RNA sequence: GCCCCCGUAGCUCAGUGGCAGAGCAUCGGACUUCUAAUCCGUUGGUCGCAGGUUCGAGUCCUGCCGGGGGUGCCA
């Protein structure tokens, strides 16, 4: 800026935003409004009069540097500076995007940082219900977003293979097994009544026959726990694969006790005087690290470490043993208290709380024909993830689960979802992709190929709108990563598909008499197809060539 | 009691301090299509209520109201 245009004043950070409405530029900057007061205060002190925001804007845009992407800048009503992208520059982006869409849209936010996303981690005592599918969708898409933003990502499933619920699970399975041989026994009162337990028992029978009936009393529980766990984990992996979710690592809680991690953690906390005895239990001085006056039970009076102890040891393992720079846990809101306390508690190991981010999402209320289905273990009635995926498909289920913000509760009516699955917006998006593929196929058949020779012919409003929309994807990704909020993706993808379809409706691509224009538009179609595929890929959805 | 989340169009929900949006539903148009799973248009909102901060608040702050969750030697 030329000295003397404006007096010296405190300069705020300059930000631009995307105006919501057309006619306000591609980007808009409110700087004149933000600085007008400070500028005038200085001018007043100098007895040099006053400037209106509009005048300041005029002064500022005269000093904008030349840039090939910038067409023009203008000052608008109260005092905004509206910036317009150059159409020629926009058109050239079609080539850059179709060359390497992933590279074009990728932002290196992570710089190789090692991050773990731990998600689902449902108790391994039965099939995943549809609420767990939300966790799977959020966690998996967060992982995809981070992978595509320069992070080194590991997906982990934490197996709670320790504790009372596993014992109950084992004993229920044992009774179901016995029942298969006509024995008149009942499952434990607090057991798992679901029919799936009978299926597990049948599988055990198929493999082992009646040989397990003769197990010594003290071997029944560990043996059935082991057999059941194996079956459940295999089933979980299958179910998750149906939803296009694959874990890099399945981490056993029990292993923390087998490999000495818990013992080391215990010794360290003891040494730091962070543990004390009270009421027959061992307590952790949480208040020392988190504040407040509440401590946490570490080892229960029955000698069993509590969940807080396991979580401490588990995160010690993540950060100290495995060396992750950043860990993200995807938890349902019913763990909100633990989510608030655990990061602070890690200070006991010298781990900065900021390195653990817990993404909380609200529950999915399941309904069938308008009536709520209680997922109580007692009733044994659940809507499984598999059931839903078989009915509506993984892509539609993902779209539905992802399109709500994490904090919003979802009402899911399976009957409604099945009835409406064909009008799921995900098909609209995929259709736009398949249509692009079709055009490119047809063009190839007529010996027409995308070319960057005459991209300057892309001047229609619909063409430029499509280019602008594609340019927005990196911003959407950055926003989604910054807020760990995957729901921005489905909304953007629908928007992109809409913009594409609008272009398709207005601009005929293949016009043999106009070879130059056709080749330019084919380039645009190719870029749009790649961008749609990239967006769908970030959401873990398929991008079909034909529909 | 204290803490957290939600409250935006008929329905389901977006909205990073800058003139209230999308999908579905409604209503009216367009079909011998480069894939009609389409397009164009229409209807529809005192953004739960009341204050405050700000040039500007759906967005930030405070207090209410309504719904949900948390506050275990369960995880």
């Amino acid at each position: 800026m030329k000295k003397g245009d404006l007096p010296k004043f405190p300069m705020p950070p300059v930000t631009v935003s995307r105006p919501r409405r057309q006619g306000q530029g591609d980007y808009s900057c409110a700087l004149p409004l933000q600085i007008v007061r400070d500028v005038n205060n200085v001018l007043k002190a100098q007895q040099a009069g006053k400037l209106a925001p509009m005048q300041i804007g005029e002064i500022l845009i005269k000093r904008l540097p030349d840039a090939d992407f910038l067409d023009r800048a203008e000052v608008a009503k109260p005092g905004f500076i509206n910036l317009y992208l150059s159409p020629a520059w926009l058109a050239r982006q079609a080539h850059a995007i179709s060359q390497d869409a992933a590279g074009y849209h990728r932002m290196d936010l992570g710089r190789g940082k090692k991050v773990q996303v731990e998600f689902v981690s449902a108790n391994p005592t039965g099939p995943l219900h549809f609420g767990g599918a939300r966790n799977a969708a959020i966690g998996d898409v967060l992982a995809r977003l981070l992978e595509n933003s320069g992070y080194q990502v590991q997906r982990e499933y934490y197996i709670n293979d320790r504790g009372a619920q596993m014992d109950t699970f084992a004993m229920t399975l044992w009774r179901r097994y016995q029942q298969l041989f006509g024995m008149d026994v009942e499952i434990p009162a607090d057991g798992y009544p679901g029919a799936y337990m009978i299926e597990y028992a049948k599988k055990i029978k198929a493999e082992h026959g009646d040989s397990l009936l003769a197990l010594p009393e003290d071997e029944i529980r560990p043996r059935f726990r082991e057999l059941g766990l194996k079956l459940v984990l295999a089933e979980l992996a299958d179910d998750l694969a149906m939803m296009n979710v694959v874990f890099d690592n399945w981490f056993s809680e029990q292993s923390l006790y087998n490999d000495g991690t818990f013992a080391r953690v215990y010794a360290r906390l003891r040494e730091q005087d962070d543990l004390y005895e009270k009421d027959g239990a061992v307590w952790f001085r949480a208040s020392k690290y988190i504040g407040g006056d509440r401590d946490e039970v570490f080892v229960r009076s029955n000698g069993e470490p509590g969940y807080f102890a396991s979580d401490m040891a588990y995160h010690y393992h993540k950060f100290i043993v495995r060396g992750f720079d950043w860990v993200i846990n995807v938890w349902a809101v019913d763990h909100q208290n633990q989510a608030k306390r655990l990061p602070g508690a890690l200070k006991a190991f010298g781990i900065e709380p900021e390195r653990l981010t817990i993404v909380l999402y609200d529950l999915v209320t399941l309904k069938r024909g308008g009536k709520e289905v209680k997922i109580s273990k007692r009733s044994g009635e659940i809507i499984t993830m598999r059931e839903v995926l078989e009915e509506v498909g993984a892509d539609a289920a993902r779209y539905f689960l992802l399109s709500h913000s994490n904090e919003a509760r979802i009402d899911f009516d399976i009957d409604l979802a099945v009835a409406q699955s064909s009008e799921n917006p995900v098909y609209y998006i995929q259709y736009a992709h398949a249509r692009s593929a079709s055009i490119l196929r047809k063009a190839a058949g007529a010996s027409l190929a995308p070319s960057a020779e005459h991209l300057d012919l892309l001047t229609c409003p619909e063409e430029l709108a499509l280019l602008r929309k594609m340019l927005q994807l990196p911003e959407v990704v950055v926003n989604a990563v910054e807020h760990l909020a995957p729901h921005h993706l489905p909304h953007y993808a629908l928007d992109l598909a809409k913009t594409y379809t609008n272009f398709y409706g207005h601009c005929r691509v293949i016009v043999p008499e106009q070879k130059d224009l056709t080749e330019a538009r084919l380039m645009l179609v190719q870029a749009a197809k790649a961008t749609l595929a990239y967006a769908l890929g970030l959401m873990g959805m398929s991008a079909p060539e034909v529909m």
Side-chain angles (χ1 to χ4, degrees), chain A residues 466-480:
Chain A
L466 178 54
L467 285 159
R468 288 190 174 96
K469 189 54 73 177
M470 290 195 273
L471 247 47
Q472 207 178 328
L473 178 51
E475 295 168 35
V476 172
V477 170
V478 168
N479 189 29

Side-chain angles (χ1 to χ4, degrees), chain A residues 427-437 497 500-501 529 532 547:
Chain A
Y427 299 117
Y428 182 90
I429 300 164
Q430 292 178 323
Y431 191 70
H433 181 269
R435 182 181 259 162
S436 314
Y500 173 80
T501 305
K529 176 174 181 281
L532 283 163
M547 281 178 83

Side-chain angles (χ1 to χ4, degrees), chain A residues 86-138:
Chain A
S86 143
W89 179 85
L90 267 175
R92 285 201 296 278
Q93 305 316 301
H95 185 225
I97 293 170
S98 68
Q99 291 280 93
D100 176 14
Y104 189 91
H105 295 303
R106 167 184 259 113
M107 296 275 137
D108 187 8
L109 304 171
R111 304 188 180 281
K113 227 166 136 186
K114 205 174 149 190
V115 54
Q116 181 194 68
V117 182
E118 182 227 310
F119 60 111
V120 185
S121 302
N123 280 341
T125 54
L128 266 184
H129 65 75
F130 191 62
R134 182 175 195 187
N135 192 316
I138 292 172

Side-chain angles (χ1 to χ4, degrees), chain A residues 129-130 366-368 373 381-385 387-388 414:
Chain A
H129 65 75
F130 191 62
L366 299 170
K367 291 180 178 170
R368 201 188 282 279
V373 177
E381 187 185 5
I382 60 174
I383 295 178
T384 65
M385 180 169 106
E387 183 181 356
V388 176
I414 184 169

